[in-house]
């Protein structure tokens, strides 16, 4: 079992439109979308396919978005997240940019096999790969023995309170010994060479299974045989992660936000803060010590849903910030959102207003996660 | 100026045919008395307009709704906002909005008129928008 060193939680997807297509490989024609190994499987199960970050992915299946979302919180759901970039290599990665902005959020696992395993956003595929390849070249020029390999694996996320129980039926390892943010390689429902990591993007207990592409359909089929499991798509993935207070790269965090502004200082370890040996340190470390101009906060309101780009106002009606993502919460039956406001307005309980549909609506700064998380930590 | 009675919903094969029509959102035109209607009574004349809204007319009163395609594309409606009683509208003016978890859609008036009454039920129970749609499928009406 290996520790997965989390940089930040990972990927969601853009709500209104897919991200600018920085990630289409040159060999593909303009309008061709990439397909995961489960493309036909999705169609066979009634998946409604949409274009996302250059991939054709299911936004939902036959169940409504709300039903799919609630099923995940009460049972478990299976998501195909194979569009994310998976690499393995013997390199160290820093992903703050030089000016302190966040280039991507991803998860790095320090495996016991002598390499790192990294999963990052599909929307940042080319950017991240270029960065990592540059780093490999630099280290190789210094005589270091490093390499980088893009994995031809599917990635399946099984998330929900019954996910572990469903998975246990197909693995020999005792999953009670695989806590949150740890990872192990094992045979899963007869497919060997799968890496199972206890993590996810929903706030629930669950795993992400990196499975060799040839075994993906078999594994998905086996998991779906359990009546606890239903397929879920990008729509549910987004509302689940927002309820869990998890950022969507490109909306809630991007190259213009620092980890401190993003309320993500926990990702910067003590040693690094002292050594200041990462790109962007000159901007970020002072922010850790002093104040930042603005912070990411959670917001809740009734009435019309807050959406990305909705202005945030103080009680005097002055615009003080902007919503970066928002939706009606199926679990809470209220509207939830994330946005950036100046520090003095960031305390939970602070009353603010959000402009929705040309009207000013009362909102309140709320702690995140909006819905309690259920990560399997051994405490 | 045409007088309109607007129904903010797509109508379906009503599972309980005897149920009174709760779906009327608002009416345009002064002095119109709201009458109960069943889904089928509104099928008499049906015209579809560009943005997946349909309109029927009956005795000079127009009724507007959204198509089954639109309510399916929207998904579970969680929020519904409509104009206040007494508002005067021109054709193409926005008269309300529907929102689901993932999507939002404005509603545009196909005619000019005045709103004499609104249906409170939809503000409190927006999910009604999804529950009712034309039995024969709105696509066949022209």
């Amino acid at each position: 079992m290996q520790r997965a060193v989390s940089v930040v939680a990972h990927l969601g997807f853009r709500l209104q439109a897919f991200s600018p297509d920085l990630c289409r490989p040159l060999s593909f024609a303009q309008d061709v979308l990439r397909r995961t190994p489960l493309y036909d499987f999705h169609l066979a199960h009634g998946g409604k396919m949409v274009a996302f970050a250059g991939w054709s992915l299911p936004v939902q299946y036959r169940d409504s978005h709300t039903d799919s979302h609630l099923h995940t919180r009460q049972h478990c759901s299976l998501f195909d997240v194979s569009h994310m970039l998976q690499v393995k290599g013997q390199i160290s990665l820093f992903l703050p940019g030089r000016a302190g902005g966040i280039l991507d959020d991803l998860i790095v696992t320090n495996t016991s096999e002598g390499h790192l395993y990294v999963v990052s956003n599909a929307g940042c595929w080319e950017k991240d790969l270029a960065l990592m390849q540059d780093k490999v070249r630099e280290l190789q020029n210094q005589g270091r023995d490093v390499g980088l390999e893009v994995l031809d694996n599917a990635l399946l996320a099984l998330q929900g309170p019954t996910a572990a129980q469903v998975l246990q039926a197909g693995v020999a390892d005792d999953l009670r010994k695989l806590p949150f943010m740890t990872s192990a390689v094992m045979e899963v429902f007869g497919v060997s060479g799968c890496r199972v990591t206890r993590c996810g993007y929903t706030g629930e207990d669950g795993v992400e299974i990196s499975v060799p592409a040839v075994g993906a359909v078999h594994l998905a089929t086996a998991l779906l045989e359990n009546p606890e499991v239903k397929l879920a798509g990008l729509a549910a993935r987004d509302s689940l992660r927002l309820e869990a207070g998890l950022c969507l790269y490109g909306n809630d965090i991007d190259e213009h936000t620092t980890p401190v502004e993003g309320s993500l200082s926990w990702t910067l370890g003590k040693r690094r803060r002292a050594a200041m040996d990462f790109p962007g340190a000159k901007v970020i470390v002072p922010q850790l010590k002093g104040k930042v101009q603005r912070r990411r906060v959670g917001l809740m309101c009734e009435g019309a849903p807050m959406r990305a780009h909705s202005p945030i106002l103080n009680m005097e009606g002055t615009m003080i910030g902007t919503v970066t993502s928002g939706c009606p919460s199926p679990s809470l039956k209220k509207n939830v959102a994330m946005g950036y406001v100046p520090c003095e307005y960031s305390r939970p309980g602070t009353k603010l207003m959000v402009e929705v549909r040309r009207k000013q609506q009362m909102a309140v700064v709320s702690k995140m996660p909006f819905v309690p998380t259920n990560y399997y930590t051994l405490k | 100026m045409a007088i309109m009675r607007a129904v903010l919903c797509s109508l379906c094969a009503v599972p309980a045919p005897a149920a009174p029509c709760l779906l009327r959102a608002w009416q345009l035109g002064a002095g119109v008395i709201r009458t109960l209607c069943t889904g089928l009574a509104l099928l008499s004349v049906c015209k579809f307009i560009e943005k997946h809204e349909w309109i029927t007319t009956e005795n000079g009163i127009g009724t507007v709704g959204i198509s089954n395609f639109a309510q399916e594309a929207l998904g579970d409606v969680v929020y519904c906002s409509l104009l206040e009683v007494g508002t005067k509208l021109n054709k193409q003016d926005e008269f309300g909005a529907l929102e689901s978890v993932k999507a939002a859609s404005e509603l545009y008036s196909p005619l000019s008129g005045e709103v004499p009454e609104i249906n409170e039920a939809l503000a409190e129970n927006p999910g009604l928008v999804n529950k009712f749609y034309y039995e024969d499928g709105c696509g066949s009406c022209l």
Side-chain angles (χ1 to χ4, degrees):
Chain A
M1 184 180 76
Q2 302 92 38
R3 278 290 292 294
V5 176
S6 78
V7 175
V8 213
H10 49 130
L11 183 268
F13 80 107
R14 277 181 187 270
L15 178 57
Q16 265 75 40
F18 53 87
S19 53
D21 210 341
L22 306 169
C23 54
R24 228 197 293 268
L26 290 172
S27 55
F28 280 77
Q30 260 306 321
D31 295 314
V32 173
L33 297 170
R34 294 177 75 171
R35 294 177 178 183
T36 73
L38 294 178
Y39 178 81
D40 292 326
F41 178 88
H42 294 314
L43 290 180
H45 286 89
K48 294 174 181 139
M49 310 303 280
V50 295
F52 172 66
W55 293 77
S56 179
L57 291 168
V59 66
Q60 65 183 84
Y61 297 81
R62 295 187 183 105
D63 283 349
S64 74
H65 176 168
T66 302
D67 286 349
S68 183
H69 177 115
L70 294 173
H71 182 89
T72 313
R73 296 248 179 265
Q74 291 154 12
H75 304 277
C76 63
S77 293
L78 181 62
F79 302 80
D80 177 9
V81 292
S82 307
H83 56 298
M84 293 206 278
L85 174 62
Q86 301 178 68
V87 296
K88 80 182 206 198
Q90 298 88 1
I91 52 176
S92 50
L93 300 152
F94 331 106
L95 284 175
R98 291 227 166 67
I102 301 168
L103 293 178
D104 194 8
D105 66 55
L106 45 82
I107 295 202
V108 182
T109 302
N110 190 9
T111 73
S112 61
E113 290 138 31
H115 64 257
L116 297 177
Y117 163 68
V118 180
V119 181
S120 64
N121 278 312
C124 300
W125 184 293
E126 281 193 354
K127 176 171 71 170
D128 289 355
L129 206 47
L131 213 127
M132 290 188 272
Q133 282 165 341
D134 283 348
K135 195 73 191 171
V136 166
R137 264 190 295 275
E138 186 188 312
L139 292 167
Q140 280 173 345
N141 288 340
Q142 292 169 15
R144 301 268 290 275
D145 178 21
V146 294
L148 184 69
E149 181 192 335
V150 176
L151 296 173
D152 180 29
N153 279 20
L155 190 63
L156 303 186
L158 185 67
Q159 300 282 303
T162 57
Q165 160 202 323
V166 166
L167 185 62
Q168 188 65 80
V171 302
D173 296 46
D174 183 357
L175 293 173
R176 288 173 301 185
K177 298 189 181 138
L178 191 77
F180 183 56
M181 298 313 284
T182 60
S183 182
V185 175
M186 57 185 82
E187 186 179 285
V188 184
F189 285 102
V191 183
S192 58
C194 292
R195 172 167 288 283
V196 176
T197 308
R198 198 77 171 247
C199 68
Y201 196 54
T202 60
E204 297 299 327
D205 182 22
V207 293
E208 294 196 345
I209 310 168
S210 178
V211 48
V214 292
V217 172
H218 172 92
L219 178 53
T221 306
L223 288 166
L224 212 52
E225 263 163 26
N226 190 316
E228 279 294 305
V229 183
K230 286 196 171 194
L231 288 168
L234 295 172
R237 187 164 163 80
D238 191 52
S239 51
L240 287 160
R241 68 94 195 162
L242 183 46
E243 284 187 346
L246 300 172
C247 293
L248 170 57
Y249 185 81
N251 279 38
D252 308 305
I253 49 176
D254 60 25
E255 296 186 15
H256 305 291
T257 57
T258 70
V260 186
E261 288 169 341
S263 302
L264 298 165
S265 306
W266 59 268
T267 59
L268 296 159
K270 229 172 165 182
R271 190 206 66 78
R272 280 213 193 279
R273 296 182 194 202
M276 288 186 60
D277 60 352
F278 56 94
K282 290 205 177 91
V283 173
I284 292 171
V285 174
Q287 283 186 349
L288 286 167
K289 294 181 174 156
K291 275 195 164 177
V292 269
Q293 295 285 355
R294 55 179 188 148
R295 291 192 72 89
R296 181 180 60 98
V297 296
L299 295 161
M300 281 181 70
C301 80
E302 314 226 2
M306 301 171 279
R307 305 279 186 186
H309 313 301
S310 298
I312 303 172
L313 316 166
N314 62 16
M315 295 305 289
E316 287 75 50
T318 310
M319 180 168 166
I320 55 165
T322 313
V323 173
T324 50
S325 57
C327 75
S329 159
S331 302
L332 301 173
K333 312 259 190 297
K334 287 188 190 206
N335 302 310
V336 295
M338 289 184 197
Y340 282 80
V341 296
C343 264
E344 58 265 37
Y345 294 100
S346 62
R347 198 174 310 123
T350 304
K351 292 202 169 87
L352 294 172
M353 293 196 285
V354 179
E355 194 178 287
V356 281
R357 304 201 159 277
R358 284 167 252 119
K359 285 199 207 143
Q360 293 173 355
Q361 253 177 205
M362 289 296 304
V364 65
V365 174
S366 309
K367 269 185 171 178
M368 291 185 284
F370 298 101
V371 171
T373 55
N374 295 308
Y375 302 128
Y376 179 66
T377 55
L378 294 176
K379 276 178 195 161
Chain B
M1 191 165 71
I3 297 169
M4 287 177 54
R5 179 178 64 214
V7 175
L8 192 66
C9 65
S10 38
L11 305 167
C12 74
V14 181
C21 176
L22 299 172
L23 310 172
R24 236 153 334 137
W26 47 277
Q27 299 175 343
L28 291 183
V32 173
I33 298 165
R34 182 162 55 116
T35 55
L36 288 179
C37 59
T38 62
L40 288 174
L42 291 175
L43 281 173
S44 46
V45 180
C46 178
K47 229 182 191 172
F48 278 85
I49 23 202
E50 283 170 22
K51 298 177 206 268
H52 286 286
E53 291 166 358
W54 53 261
I55 176 169
T56 74
T57 51
E58 193 185 312
N59 301 327
I61 296 169
T63 303
V64 179
I66 63 169
S67 68
N68 189 37
F69 180 89
Q71 71 86 15
E72 265 186 14
L74 209 51
D76 292 340
V77 175
V78 296
Y79 174 75
C80 169
S81 81
L82 298 168
L83 291 178
E84 287 177 358
V85 170
T87 312
K88 288 190 166 76
L89 279 182
N90 290 315
K91 186 174 169 173
Q92 296 303 321
D93 280 355
E94 190 182 315
F95 72 79
L98 298 174
E99 295 211 33
S100 64
V101 180
K102 289 299 289 177
S105 185
E106 286 73 41
L107 301 154
Y108 299 97
S109 173
L111 293 175
S112 303
E114 185 186 314
V115 184
E117 190 182 340
I118 58 172
N119 184 341
E120 305 288 340
L122 285 182
E124 273 158 47
N125 195 355
L128 285 173
V129 172
N130 300 105
K131 286 190 167 58
F132 301 94
Y133 50 88
Y134 274 120
E135 188 167 14
D136 297 322
C138 293
S140 59
C141 296
L142 285 170

